[in-house]
Amino acid sequence: MTKALHDVRIVDFTHVQSGPTCTQLLAWLGADVIKIERPGVGDITRSQLRDVPAADSLYFTMLNHNKRSLTLDTKTKEGLHLLEELIRISDVMVENFAPGVLDRMGLTWERVQELNPRIILASIKGFGPGPFEECKVYENIAQCVGGAASTTGFDDAVPTVTGAQIGDSGTGINLALGIVAALYQRKTTGRGQQVMASMQDGVLNLCRVKLRDQQRLQHGPLMEYPQYPHGSFGDTVPRAGNASGGGQPGSILKCKGWESDPNAYIYFVTQAQVWGDICDVIGRPEWRTDPGYATLEARLQNQDGVFAAIEAWTMTKTKFEVMAILNPLDIPCGPVLSMRELAADPALHATEILVEVDHPERGRYLTVGIPVKLSDSPAEITRSPLLGEHNADILRNVLKLDEAAIEKALESGALGRKRSTMAVS
Ligand code: COA
């Protein structure tokens, strides 16, 4: 079966997490992704957070599946020449260098267009145009400047970042969407275009509901926040703890075993539609009609009391028992699952959102597969490339160099030390 992007060739000039997330997704959708890496070193993540000596780290392998690796020192004349030849015959180039890096290399947008007017040049930067546009940005910086940190955590504690990589992986996903749309538009215009995604924009987009609340504040307190009705609101959206953030109040509640298990908790939503069943389940059937509890408005005046009563019930059961009782009643809830529990979940393996991959240096490891499924373009997860693994293949079969040209490229040192660069074909 052909894959959705089977005829798309991508020059992947990305590193660390944000850019590689984007190109990995496109590779899973069938694009031929050629990762350009510095000879001898490669993407810096190959050696960061290493768990197995001398093997590519999980940091790298889990972000670079289904790609090919070509080592090129693009600061040498021959290296830049080979990269430019690749640009001429590719559909997309993706990069997430610090601002100005591509220009310094001589690859301005004008130059890239000159080489190939059909190419899409897709970039991730920390910020869009403005006072911070020259700044370097990593994940947690993006979470801070995009509004996530100021609205995450608890009122009486420091701003908090989340473990979900909303700045890096989130922005990579945005870029992938932009690239696919630009490829689609090219079908009618015949032209490539620039696609830009800023990490600050990406995080702010995910914090849309908090900007909603900033404006709601002008018209009164935010009744679904834990600060209501006893605390006070200032002039900006406060940290909401574990409140639901929507029209149906919710909270994280202790379950049996919470004293020793840091994840013995469940998220419980007191959805108005099923309030009667909630009352019955927790042994408070009289709350169905009690004016102090019967309406959402009344419950918002007493959120602490409502959740304390529900928690008194959830603490008598494990999080999975709570789930088993509530689900048949359509009461929305979800256990707090640890990474250990997720990694062992057979249902997640069955759908291939968790996949085991074999790797020549490190053996088998677990990774996250594609989070979106296409019935006509199923993704098959293959291991990340070793550094320069596809040098020979790409010079011969993609750039179509003859033996003399290959020898010249190797002699130049642009691919690294000559003996090691063509070992694998
Ligand atoms: N051959 C030769 N040189 C290469 C090369 C290659 N194959 N690949 C990269 N380089 C060089 C670049 O030319 C650049 O050199 P220069 O500064 O002399 O021009 C340098 O390596 C890489 O630059 P930079 O992007 O600044 O790397 P960094 O490690 O200092 O910064 C980031 C890392 C992530 C902070 C920065 O790239 C950034 O802000 N990127 C945009 C936002 C982003 O994506 N952040 C999230 C990352 S998960």
Side-chain angles (χ1 to χ4, degrees):
M1 196 185 279
T2 56
K3 298 280 165 61
L5 300 180
H6 70 96
D7 54 355
V8 175
R9 180 180 295 135
I10 297 180
V11 179
D12 179 9
F13 213 6
T14 69
H15 64 158
V16 203
Q17 183 179 172
S18 63
T21 301
C22 165
T23 49
Q24 176 169 262
L25 268 176
L26 299 173
W28 283 336
L29 293 172
D32 178 14
V33 175
I34 300 174
K35 186 166 173 107
I36 311 295
E37 295 182 85
R38 231 183 309 213
V41 189
D43 187 324
I44 192 168
T45 59
R46 282 189 187 266
S47 58
Q48 281 180 332
L49 311 180
R50 249 187 189 144
D51 54 334
V52 176
D56 284 335
S57 70
L58 287 169
Y59 195 179
F60 177 83
T61 57
M62 291 176 73
L63 287 164
N64 289 285
H65 293 104
N66 296 57
K67 304 179 183 179
R68 299 198 272 177
S69 169
L70 170 66
T71 51
L72 278 185
D73 182 346
T74 56
K75 284 186 175 162
T76 64
K77 193 162 166 257
E78 182 66 13
L80 183 61
H81 167 71
L82 291 171
L83 176 60
E84 290 191 340
E85 291 304 299
L86 211 46
I87 291 171
R88 284 185 203 279
I89 56 168
S90 295
D91 300 284
V92 183
M93 177 153 98
V94 190
E95 62 90 22
N96 68 307
F97 291 124
V101 167
L102 266 201
D103 290 353
R104 285 200 290 280
M105 224 176 257
L107 290 172
T108 59
W109 170 228
E110 292 69 31
R111 174 64 182 151
V112 170
Q113 275 179 302
E114 200 177 284
L115 292 165
N116 180 357
R118 284 176 59 79
I119 201 160
I120 290 149
L121 176 58
S123 302
I124 290 176
K125 300 291 163 232
F127 294 90
F132 301 126
E133 65 187 303
E134 299 300 329
C135 300
K136 288 183 177 179
V137 169
Y138 282 108
E139 171 68 46
N140 289 346
I141 300 174
Q143 291 195 25
C144 289
V145 301
S150 70
T151 54
T152 303
F154 290 86
D155 215 12
D156 55 356
V158 294
T160 303
V161 294
T162 161
Q165 304 288 283
I166 57 177
D168 278 343
S169 287
T171 308
I173 295 166
N174 291 345
L175 194 72
L177 173 64
I179 290 169
V180 172
L183 284 167
Y184 190 74
Q185 191 173 14
R186 193 179 70 173
K187 283 184 187 297
T188 44
T189 65
R191 281 196 313 276
Q193 61 182 297
Q194 268 185 301
V195 178
M196 286 287 302
S198 112
M199 293 170 70
Q200 182 184 38
D201 294 0
V203 173
L204 182 55
N205 175 52
L206 297 176
C207 291
R208 182 174 297 258
V209 297
K210 299 298 177 181
L211 186 62
R212 172 200 69 192
D213 294 346
Q214 181 65 35
Q215 296 168 84
R216 287 173 60 221
L217 257 184
Q218 293 162 16
H219 304 283
L222 306 171
M223 291 169 72
E224 75 282 16
Y225 276 59
Q227 290 79 1
Y228 184 83
H230 307 299
S232 59
F233 288 87
D235 61 359
T236 192
V237 176
R239 296 193 255 293
N242 290 317
S244 80
Q248 308 283 359
S251 192
I252 287 190
L253 306 179
K254 290 171 185 159
C255 293
K256 197 176 185 174
W258 66 273
E259 298 90 339
S260 55
D261 177 355
N263 296 306
Y265 289 84
I266 194 154
Y267 201 92
F268 195 113
V269 179
T270 53
Q271 193 194 25
Q273 294 89 313
V274 289
W275 175 245
D277 288 326
I278 294 172
C279 297
D280 292 347
V281 158
I282 65 169
R284 301 288 181 113
E286 68 281 9
W287 280 5
R288 280 175 167 269
T289 50
D290 184 330
Y293 296 93
T295 62
L296 173 62
E297 290 66 33
R299 292 193 291 277
L300 286 173
Q301 301 298 323
N302 184 20
Q303 289 190 67
D304 292 349
V306 168
F307 284 115
I310 300 173
E311 189 171 61
W313 175 75
T314 58
M315 282 167 69
T316 65
K317 316 240 168 319
T318 69
K319 60 189 176 186
F320 296 111
E321 287 167 348
V322 174
M323 181 92 171
I325 294 168
L326 299 185
N327 270 343
L329 299 170
D330 278 342
I331 299 171
C333 64
V336 171
L337 295 179
S338 68
M339 274 299 144
R340 181 182 54 76
E341 289 167 326
L342 286 164
D345 187 334
L348 299 180
H349 286 263
T351 60
E352 296 187 346
I353 188 62
L354 290 180
V355 186
E356 270 203 53
V357 179
D358 212 357
H359 188 277
E361 288 175 340
R362 56 177 307 116
R364 292 188 82 73
Y365 65 92
L366 191 60
T367 194
V368 184
I370 188 166
V372 56
K373 314 282 186 201
L374 280 70
S375 60
D376 270 1
S377 186
E380 186 193 334
I381 315 300
T382 60
R383 70 167 173 85
S384 58
L386 301 176
L387 183 60
E389 180 173 348
H390 301 95
N391 284 358
D393 185 18
I394 291 162
L395 293 190
R396 284 206 183 93
N397 304 319
V398 178
L399 288 171
K400 311 275 185 211
L401 298 190
D402 60 23
E403 291 310 311
I406 290 175
E407 189 56 28
K408 180 171 167 256
L410 293 182
E411 281 299 332
S412 76
L415 284 80
R417 281 190 298 118
K418 185 181 169 189
R419 254 184 311 173
S420 60
T421 51
M422 298 286 282
V424 190
S425 63

